[in-house]
Amino acid sequence: MDRVFQLAAERPVVVFSKSSCCMCHTIKTLFFDFGVNPTVYELDQIPGGREIEQALARHGVAGDFPVVFIGGNLVGGANEIMTLHLNGSLSAMLKRAGALWL
């Protein structure tokens, strides 16, 4: 899990995704619509992706993709991101992380 947190801390918004996941696509599109350029790791396409997926599962994030980190902190999956968006707190969180300047 250390590698996951290291990757998550390198950029303001990090998304662990799978290329065939429709909710992953939806959340990435939401970030792009905000003007945020998240760092995306497509676990089914990168070397070591399976190991990252297993580390996330050991941390309690099993099979729920995407997995989103903002400001180095685990936020959660699509449900958590959409809840933050709908209650108006996602943009503030993105601003605090330095991912959004508006």
Side-chain angles (χ1 to χ4, degrees), residues 11-63:
R11 301 282 189 248
V13 179
V14 175
V15 179
F16 293 97
S17 175
K18 290 192 174 185
S19 61
S20 61
C21 169
C22 65
M23 290 311 295
C24 295
H25 175 75
T26 300
I27 296 303
K28 291 182 285 188
T29 300
L30 175 67
F31 285 130
F32 292 134
D33 288 348
F34 264 101
V36 171
N37 188 20
T39 299
V40 178
Y41 295 99
E42 298 290 356
L43 298 183
D44 57 338
Q45 296 182 343
I46 63 169
R50 182 72 181 134
E51 290 79 17
I52 292 172
E53 185 176 351
Q54 290 170 345
L56 288 167
R58 284 191 299 274
H59 194 67
V61 185

Side-chain angles (χ1 to χ4, degrees), residues 49-92:
R50 182 72 181 134
E51 290 79 17
I52 292 172
E53 185 176 351
Q54 290 170 345
L56 288 167
R58 284 191 299 274
H59 194 67
V61 185
D64 185 25
F65 285 93
V67 177
V68 179
F69 287 79
I70 298 176
N73 298 307
L74 174 62
V75 177
N79 288 339
E80 290 79 11
I81 296 300
M82 291 307 295
T83 298
L84 291 168
H85 175 53
L86 293 173
N87 72 23
S89 58
L90 181 59
S91 61

